[in-house]
Amino acid sequence: VGDGTTDKPEWRTRPNVHLDLHPWNFNARDGADVLPTEDLTFENLRDFSRETNAVSHVSGPHCQGVVALMDNRTEDGGTVLVPGFHDVFNDWQKALGDPARYAAAHEDWGRNRLVWRGAGAGSFKFGSDDAVHRLKVRAPIREGSFLIWDQRVAHGSEPNESDQPRMAQFIKGFRRGGAGEGRL
């Protein structure tokens, strides 16, 4: 690049759609399989992803969001959402079958896969071949805007195809009850 910076295409965000939760544990009857988030100390970086991924319907509702720190145009890449996915989440999860079949596909971007975070936390990555990608909608937003969604909404990101950076702050919302001092 002429301004002294180096383009790194291998660093570009891959198109992706995912859920920041373990679908089977989210719907567990009593939520007992999910990591108790009040025990997180945040002395380990992994605690931040566990906080996001260790959710169940018992401790809900849960929401996620993004604040645009500068205008985020369609060509700048960024957030995609699958509108209404939370309405079909329970039926979708029941149709998945055994979670073990998704754990083995962890590095295969073409297949759906479960990323295990330990102690009940995890995330579900939709493979690039999954039909859910045809339902995703790009959500460009203006500087200062806050986009919020139910954590059961499949969401992800598209690569930046422009010469502008993307600057955003991601946010997680949860009930105060059950939150230990490390979380507050």
Side-chain angles (χ1 to χ4, degrees), residues 1 10 13 18 25 46 61 71 82 89-90 94 112 122 127-129 131 139 143 149 168 178-179 183:
V1 183
E10 67 274 16
T13 300
H18 62 273
N25 288 347
R46 181 60 70 196
D71 285 345
V82 179
F89 176 85
N90 290 338
K94 289 175 189 166
N112 290 345
S128 58
D129 299 332
E143 179 179 345
W149 59 90
R183 292 182 79 197

Side-chain angles (χ1 to χ4, degrees), residues 17 80-85 88 92 126 130-138 153-155 158:
V17 175
V80 295
L81 301 166
V82 179
F85 194 84
V88 299
W92 166 82
F126 290 88
D130 193 288
V132 76
H133 287 274
R134 291 193 301 269
L135 303 173
K136 67 186 175 187
V137 176
R138 178 69 180 90
V153 170
H155 63 282
E158 287 291 314

Side-chain angles (χ1 to χ4, degrees), residues 107-170:
E107 296 301 322
D108 184 348
W109 281 73
R111 296 175 49 203
N112 290 345
R113 59 206 185 281
L114 176 65
V115 179
W116 180 249
R117 305 264 188 236
S123 59
F124 189 88
K125 311 293 184 180
F126 290 88
S128 58
D129 299 332
D130 193 288
V132 76
H133 287 274
R134 291 193 301 269
L135 303 173
K136 67 186 175 187
V137 176
R138 178 69 180 90
I141 56 177
R142 296 181 57 118
E143 179 179 345
S145 298
F146 178 39
L147 178 64
I148 186 170
W149 59 90
D150 182 302
Q151 194 157 339
R152 296 169 298 161
V153 170
H155 63 282
S157 190
E158 287 291 314
N160 188 340
E161 303 291 346
S162 78
D163 61 355
Q164 297 296 312
R166 176 175 181 233
M167 293 177 53
Q169 176 63 55
F170 293 92

Side-chain angles (χ1 to χ4, degrees), residues 6 29 34 121 161:
T6 304
R29 206 173 95 207
V34 178
E161 303 291 346

Side-chain angles (χ1 to χ4, degrees), residues 33-63:
D33 292 334
V34 178
L35 173 78
T37 51
E38 65 270 11
D39 296 338
L40 297 174
T41 64
F42 299 97
E43 293 176 14
N44 181 318
L45 282 176
R46 181 60 70 196
D47 283 354
F48 291 96
S49 61
R50 285 185 178 150
E51 176 187 43
T52 298
N53 300 145
V55 297
S56 79
H57 73 282
V58 174
S59 59
H62 300 274
C63 63

